[in-house]
Amino acid sequence: MEKSHRQRPNPSSSSSTQFRSQKFRSNPTTKDGKFTKNNSPNAREDFVKPRRASQQTQQHVDDSSNLPVLLGTCPFMCPVAERTQRERLRDLAVFERVDGNPRKTSSDLAVKKFCRTISIRDMPTSDLRPLPVLEDTLDYLLSFLDSSEHPFEVVHDFIFDRTRSIRQDLSMQNIDNEKAIYMYEKMVRFHVRSLHKLRSCTNENISSVHYLNMEQLTKALTTLFNLYDINRSSESINENEAEFCSFYVLLHLGSNSQPTGESLSLWFRQVPIPIIKSKEMGFARRILRFFRMGNYKRFLLTTAAEASFLQYCIIEPYIIEVRALALSCINNGGYKLHPYPLTHLSKLLMMKVNCSLSNRTNNLHTEERTIKSHSMTY
Amino acid sequence: MAAYPGMSMGEAHRRITEYLNRFSDAVSKQDAASLRFLLSLSSNSPFLLSLADALNTFHDSSRLIKHSDHYSQFSDILFNFFRSLQTYRLANLFDSYQAFEKSANAFIQEFRNWESAWALEALYALAYEIRVLAERADRELASNGKSPEKLKAAGSFLMKVFGVLAGKGPKRVGALYVTCQLFKVYFKLGTVHLCRSVIRSIETARIFDFEEFPKRDKVTYMYYTGRLEVFNENFPAADNKLSYALTHCNPRREANIRMILKYLIPVKLSIGILPKDWLLEKYNLVEYRDVVQALRRGDLRLLRHALQEHEDRFLRSGVFLVLEKLELQVYQRLVKKIYFIQKQKDPTKAHQVKLEVIVKALKWLEMDMDVDEVECIMSILIYKNLVKGYFAHKSKVVVLSKQDPFPKLNGKPVNS
């Protein structure tokens, strides 16, 4: 019943072996003067430095740097030693079990776990997966999102942990080229979708799962921004950067500093002009304005009309908040002797209104309390 | 390295020795002002520039340094300072910074041993120079396609200096100057969150008494911490700090006053206080002129236009979101104007404002809003106490309170 019938080629039989890893070494200093932030017309004169100091750039000339350049050689999704150890300890996720056997896995199914306590010094290169293997592993992991065999929390949990390990391998090898960008974009998208999907999950510790998801989302997004900075050139901006910047804005709708602790005003200073003027950022900034103003009509209308699915996933909890605000305002300022018509309210707030509430049209307080159980109609 | 025309070996020798003597004299006489002058590398004073030429002519300065006991004890400071000056003169900023940092480190060691705080002014010069040199070194790195990292290093050095000053002795009054240099570094790097730990040290450590610090440093400190409050939209705190900076700033330092006002004005606007036109003119803050005008007239179109026109400038200084939020106050003003006009026509009915009238007014301003949205805005204004009254959905009218229908903000920000 827990059989995994996913077929995938054995990584060691594909061309992505350790011998290929030589070609994939990423060294930012070989970008040959592409780091021309100050010559770019988009640079803001204020800043000498990109958005955030990247911990990933190497200084091959500087005597003070002593970070080793690690190059992974593990050809499998999971290092052999870890695989056999986890077999022994019966520490295998359902997706990793051969024929559902909790004691058996294979090189096709085992995926390296995230290890919090390991440092660069202790990680042998035979346990590190090179870039091509990481790319294949990521695509393999994300393919589980299509299946409905298991409850979403289980799928999420597996992908959550294993992608975290992928990011760990990427960072230990200082991989910060465009391929890394591509991978991080996929991972951030996964976390964003999970924001939405986890909301309909019902198990008891879902709020901590949700919290951890948000934590990794912001970490991955921050790293992604660093990668965009490192790879920026005067000729082009990455095609997806505007979209991911819009995610950042929407994540910070609520208060001025959640969830990264940095205020949006501060963050905006460092965003390149073409990104500010992009369609995606324009949308995000309008939503931000409507939210801060309390303009519930435009907020809901614009979200419904223009939000992409991923943007909606992020905005979703604020929709509830805005509807509640609308009710508070109407309740507070509306003429008490003429109750606010429900059909109009339903249209305004873009939601189905429960029949049982029509008996209580005078008491909008009740609607406020039950608003969380209503679904979006769009 | 070619000898400089017009400078003989003998001349070069003389100039270097002169510097060494002045240095050791300054230390033995505890003359901080002279020492400060001698260390101000980027000041481009003729004395230092010709010393740089001398060093590039006569290469064996280390022999000269060892020549006398008076200055050989400072050999680390001097040798590295000379190297820094030489490479600075040759426009090699990266090497100049590296050498300067070594020199500054050596100076700190000496400074620690001097019991009194006599050399603080010279230390200030070092703190300033290290930041300025780091900025230039980073520009050089960036233009060569490398990753800039010297300003960050300067930040670490300054933290070290802060640690040296954070003690019970008289040197502690220097800590605020160093703090301000750190603020400048962090703001430039964009790592503003790092300000938090220094702020905490200054404001909560018992060894520091804020009033003891020099006035100039207090003004700078309040300016930066005030700006941080603006980023976090804590308007009462921002108002306090920036107003302090403004009041205590030297009135002749017009550039500094302008910088303070740049952030204070949006804060004041948010609490309902409008600057006079002459202030904007005097300090060349014309970017706010239309914003203020929009608030006075209730002209939403003008506000939006002003934000668009100066969007980049406002975003860069971090006040854009603050100014955007003024929209609610502009709406309040617009409705107030409609009310006044109605009062003139028929005072008995003035307190009833049809939503259609507001829609029409907005249309004149080229703002396209339907009745629903206007009702939404009115309900928000009422909820946030910018308007007193209620709205009737069926009759599509707002009924204003007979008493004080448009409460003033009175120095408090709009309820969020």
Side-chain angles (χ1 to χ4, degrees), chain A residues 35 44 46-49 62 256 263 269 277 285 289 292 294-298 333 335 340 344, chain B residues 138 142 148 188-189 227 231 233 304 311-312 316 320-321 324 370 372-373 375 379-380 390-391:
Chain A
F35 191 92
R44 304 207 157 156
D46 253 4
F47 290 94
V48 174
K49 232 182 146 16
D62 197 309
N256 220 1
S263 87
R269 294 169 93 206
K277 301 216 187 293
R285 289 174 62 201
R289 177 158 58 101
R292 280 158 56 90
N295 188 336
Y296 44 86
K297 175 160 198 271
R298 282 274 175 158
Y335 186 40
Y340 203 89
H344 191 264
Chain B
D138 275 358
K188 186 105 185 179
L189 287 174
R227 277 182 69 182
F231 284 139
E233 299 196 9
R304 296 241 177 113
E311 182 182 63
D312 196 44
R316 217 181 328 141
F320 185 91
L321 293 180
E324 223 182 22
D370 63 13
D372 277 339
E373 193 177 348
E375 181 190 84
S379 79
I380 282 284
Y390 63 88
F391 67 92

Side-chain angles (χ1 to χ4, degrees), chain A residues 175-191:
Chain A
I175 300 176
D176 55 13
N177 57 16
E178 280 179 12
K179 288 177 187 260
I181 287 183
Y182 196 50
M183 290 180 71
Y184 268 86
E185 287 178 348
K186 286 186 187 173
M187 290 189 273
V188 171
R189 287 198 194 104
F190 156 71
H191 286 293

Side-chain angles (χ1 to χ4, degrees), chain A residues 28-29 33-39 44-53 57 59-64 256-257 261-266 268-270 273 276-277 285 288-290 292-298 325-326 328-336 338 340-341 344 347-348, chain B residues 94 98 135 138-139 141-152 187-193 196 227 230-233 263 304 311-312 315-322 324-328 331 368-370 372-373 375-377 379-380 382-384 389-395:
Chain A
T29 55
K34 263 174 110 184
F35 191 92
T36 51
K37 186 162 172 77
N38 274 358
N39 298 331
R44 304 207 157 156
E45 317 108 33
D46 253 4
F47 290 94
V48 174
K49 232 182 146 16
R51 246 172 253 171
R52 256 169 273 262
T57 18
Q59 305 305 319
H60 69 302
V61 280
D62 197 309
D63 48 43
S64 63
N256 220 1
S257 56
E262 185 183 81
S263 87
L264 264 180
S265 289
L266 192 55
F268 271 124
R269 294 169 93 206
Q270 311 168 83
I273 300 172
I276 294 275
K277 301 216 187 293
R285 289 174 62 201
L288 179 69
R289 177 158 58 101
F290 298 145
R292 280 158 56 90
M293 226 51 67
N295 188 336
Y296 44 86
K297 175 160 198 271
R298 282 274 175 158
L325 171 72
S328 300
C329 290
I330 293 171
N331 204 34
N332 174 59
Y335 186 40
K336 303 285 187 280
H338 289 164
Y340 203 89
H344 191 264
K347 189 171 136 240
L348 185 70
Chain B
F94 182 83
Q98 305 262 76
E135 284 176 16
D138 275 358
R139 275 204 287 273
L141 283 170
S143 66
N144 291 338
K146 302 211 192 78
S147 182
E149 29 132 82
K150 287 310 176 193
L151 193 55
K152 196 166 165 217
F187 268 71
K188 186 105 185 179
L189 287 174
T191 55
V192 162
H193 59 284
R196 235 177 285 154
R227 277 182 69 182
V230 176
F231 284 139
N232 294 323
E233 299 196 9
Y263 297 96
R304 296 241 177 113
E311 182 182 63
D312 196 44
L315 280 173
R316 217 181 328 141
S317 54
V319 299
F320 185 91
L321 293 180
V322 172
E324 223 182 22
K325 220 169 172 185
L326 296 173
E327 226 177 71
L328 285 177
Y331 277 119
D368 198 14
M369 272 185 217
D370 63 13
D372 277 339
E373 193 177 348
E375 181 190 84
C376 167
I377 302 283
S379 79
I380 282 284
I382 294 170
Y383 189 70
K384 298 200 179 201
Y390 63 88
F391 67 92
H393 174 78
K394 213 160 104 176
S395 14

